[in-house]
Amino acid sequence: MRRGLLLAVVMWFPSFTNAAAQDTTRAVLQLLYDNPQVRPTLVVVPVAGLDSVRTIVERDLDQSDRFELILLPMVSQPIEPGALNLAPYRAMNAELALEMVPAGGALVTVRLYDVATGLIRNEGLMAVDYTGTGEGRMTIHRLSDEVVRWATGKVGIAATRILYVLDNRVWLVDADGYGPRPLTPAGRTAYSPAWSPDGRRFAYTELADGKGYVVLQSLTSGNRVVLPGTEQTMNITPSFSPDGTHIAFSRVMNGAYALHKADVTNLCCAERLTGGRFAENLSPTYSPDGRRIAFVSTRAGSPQIYVMSSDGTNQELLVPFDYGITGASFAPEWSPDGLKLVFHRSMGSGFQVLVFDITSDRVRQVTSEGRNEDASWAPDGRHIIFTSSRSGGRQLHVLDLETSRVRRIPTPGTAQLATWSPRLSGAP
Amino acid sequence: MSLRAALFSLVSGGLLVAGCSKKVEPVVTPPPVETTTPTPQPPPPPPPPPSTEPTCEQVITRMVSELAALVHFDTDKFDIRPGDATVLDGKASILQSHPQVRVRITGHADERYTAEYNLVLGTKRAESAKSYLVSKGVSGGRMETASLGETAPLDPGHTEAAWSRNRRAEVSVIAGRSTLASHLARCQ
């Protein structure tokens, strides 16, 4: 239906003069692309010598869920001099064509065409690692994200990574499922990884010796340091402030979990944020502006989602619930635009992931198949990763909230507690 | 008079003899007490009767395992069930009669509840067991609590039976283990 509408719009324009048609078409297409429900068809032009790059870019663009990919065979053609002949792609009903031409060394000229008009929408020179292995893949993912930005004006998520827990260790994997590897030592129980906002380190809880330590680990050097003030008792569910200066976490005080925050920059001075001996407070998540912290509390009996100023004042209920009816709610994470929170709740069908819209004060259930929990936002604010039992065991799944497309992130065993990185600008 | 006191007086006598002969050249022979005096030898410790009386180490091991007897919980609950109260009563009496023993109570959860809250549930179960022991007269200062949530299942299965085994509190001795047989005079 939507496809038909778009084609009808495009076919209607030849009645205009050529130049006017091109401008108007472009404007209308841009309008349509801004509607996330409309996914333009896109083809990546085969070019000799760039097959491995093309494969990765095609997958990135597909996994952005913003395009309908037209996949061509791997038989790459020699580059023809002069302008790209778009006729074959027009015949395939491609609306966008992406051309990548080797430009010497590691450089690639990247062009995005509006196929209908033949206009180059965007063009740029980018450095990529042709081998597409290891860290070099990130250069290709950044190219993909730039194409997403050209076509939609939105942030791509190809150049991102995911931390998760498998066999009581924290693992790292690229957002396309490439290269899963453990980061924390074997034989020590690691839990609840949390990214630093710059993507260069992460915090997690290590359960050992009857304690729960908050540990900071560098992704560049692998160095680990225990957050001072967390050497005693249980310290769980760490979370960075958006400016990276503080970590909020939950600590056992007098037999109950209370929220604290510690200064990461100076590695000192844990400060208590919530009181009360008879309620549990855990799973803090900062709003993107750093001014508020949402968290789970049992102060009304059942665990539910509350919010406070980041200095601990103005504590109040955030996600409404019916006392005695609404199921326990857990693991909130504030969306990148600050307008929503994702969390999971005990429902008749087990745990399900819900999105709370702060503006409308409403919740929307976004999963239903199997048991689904511990969701985390991608930096584009439309994808979430979560633990799901839908394919048996605990596996990581990605859901696009706009199209409802789901894909699984392959992991070498049952995995949980995934957390999506911010956009990774350089090598970690 | 104890055997030790008798030995002491004999040794003192020997020193006294040595003191009297202090103008003489130093004697290099061994002290007469040990060589010449017919000392009543302390009776060798009787060999432990093989089956009736356990060794001190065996007593300690039995105490440790009684302290380690698991306390179980209902799903998403942390109150002490009547049957498990009996298990804790056994621990309370051991702890009361061995005041130098310190323990850690670690709470665990099954995999069915949600991961991070299971750490809380584990802590609540450990605290619940601790409170019960305090109510039985054990000083709270001798007990620390911890939680491993669902990270250390006893039974890796995904059945109701496995889950009920995994919802538990474990008591382990962290100090004073060697005093666990001190209620027996022979093990003091």
Side-chain angles (χ1 to χ4, degrees):
Chain A
M1 285 286 271
R2 288 174 189 120
R3 280 265 65 73
L5 169 70
L6 183 58
L7 285 176
V9 168
V10 172
M11 285 162 61
W12 186 64
F13 281 108
S15 61
F16 284 91
T17 65
N18 215 22
Q22 285 179 353
D23 284 353
T24 315
T25 304
R26 195 167 170 177
V28 170
L29 284 175
Q30 187 61 58
L31 196 67
L32 289 170
Y33 297 162
D34 285 345
N35 178 351
Q37 298 294 329
V38 175
R39 301 195 298 143
T41 49
L42 182 146
V43 64
V44 183
V45 176
V47 174
L50 282 178
D51 273 351
S52 61
V53 175
R54 176 157 74 99
T55 305
I56 295 170
V57 168
E58 282 177 340
R59 192 147 66 127
D60 286 346
L61 296 179
D62 180 44
Q63 293 182 348
S64 78
D65 292 311
R66 297 179 187 273
F67 308 98
E68 251 175 62
L69 266 287
I70 297 171
L71 298 176
L72 298 179
M74 276 298 116
V75 186
S76 291
Q77 303 154 352
I79 311 151
E80 294 165 18
L84 178 67
N85 176 17
L86 288 169
Y89 308 118
R90 201 170 287 130
M92 296 169 192
N93 287 327
E95 291 149 42
L96 296 169
L98 179 66
E99 182 189 34
M100 297 181 288
V101 183
L107 294 177
V108 175
T109 301
V110 186
R111 294 188 192 96
L112 183 66
Y113 293 86
D114 266 330
V115 175
T117 63
L119 291 177
I120 295 174
R121 289 174 59 107
N122 297 85
E123 181 171 5
L125 199 59
M126 299 182 203
V128 301
D129 181 333
Y130 280 41
T131 61
T133 57
E135 281 300 316
R137 286 176 71 93
M138 275 292 152
T139 63
I140 301 172
H141 292 322
R142 280 184 207 107
L143 186 159
S144 304
D145 286 344
E146 186 64 4
V147 172
V148 168
R149 197 176 65 80
W150 285 350
T152 69
K154 301 288 164 51
V155 174
I157 53 169
T160 60
R161 291 192 164 115
I162 288 153
L163 291 167
Y164 62 93
V165 173
L166 186 154
D167 284 344
N168 292 338
R169 299 172 80 179
V170 174
W171 288 60
L172 180 69
V173 66
D174 291 1
D176 64 352
Y178 176 85
R181 53 216 183 267
L183 298 179
T184 59
R188 306 186 73 94
T189 299
Y191 230 50
S192 305
W195 286 95
S196 69
D198 63 5
R200 293 179 175 273
R201 56 183 174 170
F202 63 101
Y204 65 99
T205 286
E206 178 172 307
L207 303 172
D209 324 315
K211 311 287 192 301
Y213 309 99
V214 173
V215 179
L216 288 168
Q217 180 168 336
S218 163
L219 281 159
T220 41
S221 68
N223 280 352
R224 277 183 286 274
V225 55
V226 174
L227 185 64
T230 68
E231 301 92 341
Q232 301 298 319
T233 187
M234 296 285 297
N235 301 273
I236 65 170
T237 61
S239 180
F240 276 90
S241 64
D243 63 4
T245 60
H246 288 81
I247 286 181
F249 59 96
S250 181
R251 166 189 294 173
V252 173
M253 296 284 285
N254 304 316
Y257 283 86
L259 291 177
H260 289 68
K261 71 175 176 183
D263 184 329
V264 188
T265 316
N266 302 307
L267 289 175
C268 83
C269 319
E271 167 192 346
R272 187 168 176 169
L273 299 175
T274 64
R277 291 188 58 161
F278 303 105
E280 313 300 329
N281 298 281
L282 66 154
S283 301
T285 174
Y286 278 88
S287 60
D289 64 8
R291 294 166 61 187
R292 296 200 287 169
I293 296 174
F295 59 102
V296 173
S297 178
T298 62
R299 58 192 62 191
S302 154
Q304 295 295 344
I305 314 292
Y306 293 76
V307 69
M308 62 185 173
S309 300
S310 53
D311 63 358
T313 59
N314 303 316
Q315 301 188 16
E316 59 181 352
L317 183 69
L318 180 61
V319 181
F321 70 98
D322 290 329
Y323 190 84
I325 297 169
T326 307
S329 306
F330 298 103
E333 189 180 295
W334 221 299
S335 68
D337 66 5
L339 300 175
K340 297 184 284 292
L341 281 98
V342 69
F343 65 100
H344 68 270
R345 175 174 280 175
S346 179
M347 315 282 281
S349 53
F351 291 115
Q352 298 299 347
V353 175
L354 294 91
V355 172
F356 173 65
D357 185 292
I358 295 172
T359 316
S360 68
D361 215 29
R362 292 200 170 165
V363 292
R364 175 164 77 103
Q365 183 179 338
V366 298
T367 63
S368 56
E369 189 186 346
R371 164 182 170 168
N372 302 283
E373 59 202 306
D374 291 318
S376 174
W377 294 98
D380 65 359
R382 67 179 263 174
H383 290 87
I384 55 171
I385 187 166
F386 55 98
T387 311
S388 180
S389 67
R390 65 187 64 194
S391 51
R394 285 178 179 178
Q395 302 287 347
L396 304 184
H397 287 70
V398 171
L399 167 68
D400 175 26
L401 293 170
E402 302 291 351
T403 62
S404 298
R405 286 177 86 198
V406 176
R407 66 184 168 95
R408 191 163 82 78
I409 301 284
T411 52
T414 59
Q416 60 176 340
L417 296 169
T419 178
W420 212 311
S421 78
R423 292 230 340 114
L424 301 172
S425 51
Chain B
M1 177 188 264
S2 74
L3 181 64
R4 191 182 299 171
L7 273 170
F8 179 73
S9 57
L10 280 168
V11 171
S12 306
L15 286 173
L16 216 61
V17 170
C20 289
S21 60
K22 76 177 174 189
K23 290 169 187 162
V24 190
E25 287 294 302
V27 183
V28 289
T29 50
V33 176
E34 294 185 5
T35 51
T36 58
T37 318
T39 312
Q41 289 297 317
S51 58
T52 54
E53 213 171 309
T55 64
C56 298
E57 182 53 35
Q58 283 170 333
V59 170
I60 291 171
T61 305
R62 187 166 57 76
M63 292 291 174
V64 167
S65 67
E66 188 164 345
L67 284 173
L70 298 178
V71 180
H72 289 97
F73 299 86
D74 289 331
T75 302
D76 195 18
K77 295 282 196 307
F78 49 86
D79 53 300
I80 304 295
R81 307 183 298 197
D84 293 287
T86 316
V87 175
L88 283 169
D89 287 341
K91 302 182 199 298
S93 75
I94 293 173
L95 289 172
Q96 276 173 318
S97 53
H98 302 90
Q100 297 185 61
V101 172
R102 284 178 47 82
V103 294
R104 174 183 301 147
I105 309 172
T106 305
H108 298 261
D110 69 31
E111 63 180 4
R112 276 183 312 173
Y113 219 55
T114 197
E116 286 169 335
Y117 196 76
N118 270 337
L119 289 172
V120 175
L121 209 46
T123 296
K124 299 309 285 180
R125 286 171 176 160
E127 289 287 334
S128 182
K130 176 181 169 180
S131 297
Y132 184 90
L133 292 172
V134 167
S135 78
K136 295 293 169 182
V138 182
S139 160
R142 297 169 55 197
M143 300 180 278
E144 65 175 52
T145 59
S147 173
L148 285 172
E150 64 181 60
T151 65
L154 273 185
D155 187 330
H158 307 291
T159 63
E160 184 59 56
W163 294 326
S164 67
R165 273 195 285 280
N166 292 336
R167 293 189 301 270
R168 69 199 191 276
E170 293 177 348
V171 178
S172 56
V173 176
I174 54 173
R177 182 188 184 278
S178 62
T179 69
L180 269 169
S182 62
H183 57 290
L184 301 173
R186 62 190 169 83
C187 296
Q188 279 168 359

